[in-house]
Amino acid sequence: MEVRAAVHRDFRIAAIDDRLYSAFIEHMGRAIYSGIYEPGHPEADAGGFRKDVLALVRDLDIPAIRYPGGNFVSAYRWEDGIGPVEERPVRLDLAWRSKETNRVGINEFAQWAREAGIEMMLAVNLGSRGLEDARNFVEYVNHPSGTYWSDLRRGHGIEEPYGVRMWCLGNEMDGPWQIGHKEARVYGRLADETAKALRAITPGAELVVCGSSNDEMPTYPDWERQVLEECYENVDYISLHKYFGNNSRDTLNFFAKIEETGRYIQSVAGVIDYVKARKRAKKDVFICFDEWNVWYHKRAEDKERIKRWNWPEAPELLEETYNFEDALFVAGLLNEFIRRSDRVKIACIAQLVNVIAPIRAERGGPAWRQTIYWPYQMASLYGRGEALRVAVDGPTYDCRVADDVPYLDIAVTYDRAAEVVTVFAVNRHLHEPIDVNVSLTGFDGLGLRMHKTMQGHDLLETNGPEAPDRISMVPGASVAVEDGHLRGKLPALSYHVVRLDVGRPGGRNG
């Protein structure tokens, strides 16, 4: 099978916001407790956070992290997580039918995020609570001193404000399952008033309003229209959420859900443009895809388990074990985010540790990288700079969710400062290799810097504590650069990251 692709240095989609490779962590299951935080673990630091997990997180180079939810935030009292730990109340978490001890609150999490080198993106409760509590939270977090909430923070040992700039105005407020679920107009007005109050405290705040929980909601996409008509002038992003699965065991249809996601993004972008035109607005609103991942392996089982259990503390929940097929899917989805980076500025993998996560950690035991860790890391490390347009000419297939799906999934980025072009490519074909020829125009003296690949595994193969790196990125040797063309053979069901030096024909390793 032959595929030709063409890229030009000056045919740019957009500058990629680094926050396209952000993450999400919620007070849910073992994401926090025995995930990032486990006092008494052999790897725990003085604050109780696991150093082995932190090392794996650091290696991802995550720009921002959304916290503390998620469904959890819609009934969360943030004040429960401040002050002396021994005085904090234990609450019932209505979202996941478990107990929340509040041993980790905003100050502990901020300490961990600082150690991880990650900027916080905080969510306020607009479900069971509202504007006043959101205002107090922002004052506690961001105001320097001289007021009740800022001085309370200082009394808790945090002299300097955190200066958090990204704030989510609730979570999935379109969902009937959400504590405090609201109709679109009601929520839009609440979000608008909350946005104005938050900006009064933090003028440069970037605010995310809730879009649809997924593109199968009966209110989608009219929810986006109604909400934005109420708050367009005072928000910066609208959220998208989408989870993926392959219950039908149809691999090609599974991969094609990436194309379906592109339609989802395009449709919401169209709603944004409509509201902007209707309001005669100058400002733009972008997309924050702040929940995404593969989630189906244990979803039905966990749904039944939650009904049976009696409010446990940090129970095992949504602990998906990801396989090679999932890793190839995540690689392609990240390619789609790059291709849509003109509209999608922030995206958060959900979640980071244990709960539908690229990192797993056993209580009292080891931590390891799941298969999806690797494409997420590759995109985060190397998918910075500018997204370039790619014209592809090659075979396609039709399936239930989309037609004309290309077998070669490809995205290209250009880091002008470092003078490096990066090609991310997935061969989706089940059996045939692809002979690929990528023409790279406008670049002088291209040289091969790096080729890493993930290939040769059974689709159901996984990583685990007994074989943590069974599936990983390894050096590749099947591509070469000659006369401005990247040529090579990509085996069936494989993922490739190729980095090319510009202006250094000899290239180098690294």
Side-chain angles (χ1 to χ4, degrees), residues 23-24 26 66 69-74 96 121 123 168-175 177-178 187 208-217 220 223-224 237-244 257 260-261 264-265 268 287-295 299 333 337 344 346-351 356:
F24 167 46
E26 181 175 356
R66 180 172 173 252
N71 290 355
F72 172 80
V73 81
S74 290
W96 305 113
M121 175 182 176
C168 299
L169 304 176
N171 174 77
E172 292 187 355
M173 300 308 300
D174 65 320
W177 59 85
Q178 203 70 206
Y187 167 68
V208 184
V209 70
C210 292
S212 295
S213 303
N214 59 74
D215 54 349
E216 296 181 0
M217 294 296 292
Y220 164 80
W223 169 275
E224 280 80 358
Y237 306 91
I238 188 164
S239 70
L240 274 69
H241 293 178
K242 190 171 176 65
Y243 293 98
F244 306 88
K257 292 180 181 180
E260 184 180 53
T261 305
Y264 184 19
I265 294 168
V268 173
I287 290 170
C288 176
F289 212 125
D290 55 28
E291 288 190 32
W292 67 266
N293 208 342
V294 175
W295 175 20
R299 190 167 188 169
L333 187 61
F337 289 157
V344 182
I346 305 172
C348 304
I349 191 170
Q351 294 183 24
I356 47 175

Side-chain angles (χ1 to χ4, degrees), residues 140-153:
Y140 181 90
V141 168
N142 278 359
H143 195 69
S145 63
T147 67
Y148 175 81
W149 291 108
S150 61
D151 286 346
L152 184 62
R153 183 198 69 243

